[in-house]
Amino acid sequence: MSHTIQYHVDQDGIALLTIDLPGKPMNVLTPELMQELGGLVEKAVADDAVKGIVLTSGKQAFIAGADIKDMVTAYDRGVTPREASEFSLGLNRTLRRMETCGKPVAAAINGLALGGGLEVCLACHYRVLADHPKAVLGFPEVNIGLLPGAGGTQRTPRLIGFRNAAAMVLQCRNQKPAEALKLGLVHELAPPAEVVARARRWVLEAGDAVQPWDKKGFRIPHGDLNSPATAQVFMGGNALITKNTKHNYPAPIAAQSAMFEGCVTSIDAGLKIESQYFGTLLAGPVARNMMRSLFVSKGKADKLARRPEGVAKAPVKKLGILGAGMMGAGIAYVSAQAGIEVVLLDTSQESAEKGKAYSEGLLKKAIERGHSTEAQAAALLGLIRPTANYHDLAGCDLVIEAVFESVKIKADVTAKTEAVVPERCIFASNTSTLPITGLAQASERPAQFIGLHFFSPVDKMPLVEVILGKQTGDEALARSLDYVQQIRKTPIVVNDSRGFYTSRVFSTFTSEGITMLAEGVRPALIENVAKMAGMPVGPLAVTDEVTLELAYKIGKETAAGLGRDYPA
């Protein structure tokens, strides 16, 4: 009896395989699922009453990808490249058997299909995709240090050509339904409720059980490896990989090599080549680190793993922001995007209006690029209220201070704010270096004082550092995390210290660069070595970008705070 796939043969001889992993909100590609898929395909093949197979999902999405939580432990378990390759080869054997079983197989893709989920679809002879915004197809593997290891690097170029395959596999570019149909990634679009019926109809009426690459005379679309256009794809791919990764990430190189080498030969040989590259990546530390940081740990953070229990959910309805500079203006924009009423306060009405103009500029670009409309922009801007009057903060659930890195200035705005906001209001500082415990001394409600450190530019940077002062209470932490989730950012919770976590690490990077410069090392060498090590910007350039004035003020405040302990 299958635990992951429901098997049913109807009166027309269609074997409907409905993938539905018990106890999981989404289907993921597990070894158990693949084993049962292989067994049920053999069952359908052996049954003379079965004319063809339709694969679909019992959940809203088709398959979200492989089980990353299992693969992330491969390196720590001592899995060898050969053992990891065998895992990939097992997946490829199952899917290869399905597409060569002699009976037509159609995929009724009722929702999102990523990674291994898309690879299962590509091994079907016909693909019907739900015409729905959430029905996205893509390969995210390179972003977590892997490559598609169940035929993705082989079937994709053979189906849609090298250029389109490179965009999907190397750049992890997802395809929405209309784009997927245009590329030839799927054969048909249908309303979500009709995908199974359309797939059944194809099996009964057309039912070609041979893949294009298994037919005599097959040629890769848009040019094979000998064509000038394909040569440009790989030449450009090499350059882009070098530019974007400085060869610090092995996955893009391996994925491109698997496509090139695999498509020189037969599909079966190509699948073996793909498995070898996949095994090397899965058994290595880079993939382990990327999966752990960018998927497992990030997933826990996004689900608010550090949120205290026993505190009721409390979304922010009205937010106050003190300081309409670059940081304050950015926080106002992302908060209004989440539907929150924002009071943007500065020392003058003119300065506050200037802060709102930042959102206007971003929205203008969004409209030009087709990502927003005039009506949507007007609605968002209507949520941002620029002011110089502290009384406008009345009724705020949360206030975020984003003024200069000065203990004196921050203490002044804290006192003025607490005089007008409700007792239950949380007060957060966006300081990047000043200890929260020290800043909380200016507050009459230290249990409700917390740090919320955003990064510039706020509209693009996904991280928010949540800093606990010595007296910060559970309610302040819980409600702050609720707000970070509300604006769709990723929170990390850290304890209080000078510079916290991010600024302490970052300032070490910039300080070392400046020290090397003072010691006579050439600036270009400093910057280029940093980039070769994987940093997007060198320490000298980034110091210029955040301004030398800010670095000076931070140093000055640090010296004042540490006194004799400040290193000379």
Side-chain angles (χ1 to χ4, degrees):
M1 180 179 177
S2 175
H3 298 286
T4 63
I5 305 175
Q6 300 167 18
Y7 182 90
H8 173 72
V9 180
D10 64 22
Q11 61 185 8
D12 293 321
I14 302 297
L16 180 65
L17 277 61
T18 305
I19 302 167
D20 196 353
L21 270 67
K24 290 185 179 290
M26 299 184 84
N27 291 323
V28 290
L29 207 64
T30 64
E32 182 185 17
L33 170 61
M34 291 303 293
Q35 182 178 1
E36 292 184 355
L37 175 61
L40 292 176
V41 167
E42 295 299 340
K43 181 179 179 179
V45 171
D47 188 347
D48 292 336
V50 172
K51 297 177 181 177
I53 300 169
V54 171
L55 278 181
T56 192
S57 166
K59 302 184 188 298
Q60 287 188 338
F62 186 76
I63 299 177
D67 189 357
I68 304 299
K69 291 181 181 178
D70 178 65
M71 292 199 296
V72 73
T73 64
Y75 178 79
D76 296 315
R77 287 187 276 117
V79 173
T80 65
R82 184 173 181 176
E83 290 170 335
S85 294
E86 281 297 323
F87 167 71
S88 173
L89 276 173
L91 301 178
N92 277 320
R93 288 190 195 102
T94 299
L95 296 182
R96 184 65 177 142
R97 170 57 180 153
M98 185 173 73
E99 70 181 0
T100 59
C101 72
K103 293 188 178 182
V105 183
I109 313 167
N110 59 312
L112 168 145
L114 297 177
L118 178 54
E119 289 174 296
V120 170
C121 297
L122 296 184
C124 296
H125 304 105
Y126 194 78
R127 290 168 292 281
V128 182
L129 177 63
D131 194 2
H132 189 277
K134 292 185 178 180
V136 175
L137 307 181
F139 293 116
E141 285 90 346
V142 165
N143 281 339
I144 53 172
L146 296 172
L147 57 76
T153 67
Q154 302 306 304
R155 292 187 180 92
T156 311
R158 285 174 168 87
L159 189 65
I160 62 175
F162 286 108
R163 182 179 297 278
N164 294 325
M168 291 189 67
V169 174
L170 303 182
Q171 300 175 30
C172 302
R173 188 178 297 168
N174 291 338
Q175 305 297 337
K176 294 181 180 179
E179 298 163 343
L181 180 65
K182 183 178 179 181
L183 284 176
L185 204 59
V186 298
H187 299 88
E188 185 180 354
L189 301 183
E194 296 181 21
V195 290
V196 172
R198 299 281 187 91
R200 287 181 74 260
R201 185 176 68 186
W202 176 83
V203 171
L204 291 171
E205 295 179 359
D208 184 357
V210 182
Q211 291 279 35
W213 40 86
D214 288 322
K215 293 180 179 179
K216 188 176 180 180
F218 168 75
R219 297 179 69 86
I220 293 175
H222 314 303
D224 59 18
L225 287 171
N226 295 319
S227 74
T230 300
Q232 289 181 355
V233 170
F234 284 100
M235 288 171 61
N238 286 333
L240 283 173
I241 289 171
T242 303
K243 176 186 175 183
N244 294 333
T245 72
K246 304 296 187 295
H247 290 179
N248 284 303
Y249 299 101
I253 300 170
Q256 181 169 254
S257 297
M259 283 197 291
F260 184 91
E261 295 170 23
C263 290
V264 168
T265 183
S266 68
I267 182 73
D268 292 299
L271 292 173
K272 291 179 181 179
I273 290 169
E274 174 189 87
S275 293
Q276 289 172 348
Y277 277 111
F278 178 86
T280 302
L281 295 174
L282 182 60
V286 176
R288 185 276 307 267
N289 294 341
M290 292 181 74
M291 284 188 282
R292 185 174 60 187
S293 298
L294 302 176
F295 184 83
V296 178
S297 297
K298 183 180 182 301
K300 290 179 180 178
D302 287 335
K303 292 177 181 176
L304 309 187
R306 291 290 305 274
R307 191 183 191 278
E309 296 181 1
V311 181
K313 276 273 188 179
V316 173
K317 296 180 180 178
K318 184 177 180 180
L319 170 71
I321 299 174
L322 312 180
M326 182 173 63
M327 295 302 294
I331 298 168
Y333 175 75
V334 298
S335 300
Q337 264 191 324
I340 300 171
E341 178 187 351
V342 178
V343 177
L344 185 57
L345 185 144
D346 211 304
T347 53
S348 69
Q349 185 68 30
E350 182 183 2
S351 296
E353 294 282 358
K354 187 177 179 181
K356 182 176 180 177
Y358 178 80
S359 293
E360 293 173 351
L362 291 177
L363 289 168
K364 183 179 179 181
K365 290 180 182 178
I367 292 170
E368 291 172 352
R369 294 168 182 168
H371 298 156
S372 185
T373 64
E374 293 285 355
Q376 290 170 335
L380 190 152
L381 290 171
L383 291 171
I384 303 175
R385 179 182 178 185
T387 184
N389 190 340
Y390 275 86
H391 289 286
D392 290 332
L393 297 173
C396 282
D397 306 300
L398 170 69
V399 171
I400 301 174
E401 164 270 301
V403 299
F404 293 112
E405 290 290 275
S406 163
V407 173
K408 184 178 180 180
I409 295 175
K410 291 180 185 293
D412 179 59
V413 299
T414 301
K416 289 178 179 177
T417 299
E418 290 186 347
V420 296
V421 296
E423 293 248 349
R424 196 167 171 269
C425 179
I426 304 300
F427 189 97
S429 175
N430 181 57
T431 180
S432 59
T433 56
L434 302 175
I436 295 300
T437 302
L439 295 179
Q441 292 176 3
S443 172
E444 294 182 0
R445 312 162 192 171
Q448 292 165 234
F449 199 103
I450 197 167
L452 285 179
H453 177 207
F454 290 78
F455 298 86
S456 181
V458 178
D459 56 291
K460 293 181 180 178
M461 301 296 280
L463 189 69
V464 177
E465 191 174 35
V466 181
I467 308 106
L468 301 176
K470 285 185 178 179
Q471 297 184 63
T472 302
D474 282 353
E475 183 175 0
L477 173 58
R479 290 172 58 193
S480 296
L481 288 173
D482 290 345
Y483 163 70
V484 175
Q485 187 180 62
Q486 198 174 346
I487 60 173
R488 299 179 181 178
K489 300 286 186 184
T490 297
I492 58 168
V493 180
V494 300
N495 291 324
D496 197 17
S497 68
R498 190 166 293 277
F500 320 126
Y501 171 72
T502 55
S503 294
R504 190 168 70 250
V505 173
F506 180 72
S507 63
T508 301
F509 170 63
T510 55
S511 295
E512 279 300 310
I514 293 171
T515 300
M516 291 170 71
L517 182 66
E519 291 173 348
V521 180
R522 293 184 178 182
L525 183 58
I526 297 170
E527 298 294 271
N528 288 333
V529 166
K531 291 177 182 177
M532 293 300 292
M535 300 300 287
V537 182
L540 306 181
V542 81
T543 300
D544 280 339
E545 289 177 12
V546 300
T547 73
L548 292 169
E549 183 183 12
L550 176 62
Y552 171 74
K553 287 181 178 179
I554 290 172
K556 192 174 180 181
E557 288 291 339
T558 303
L562 294 178
R564 292 181 178 180
D565 293 330
Y566 184 72

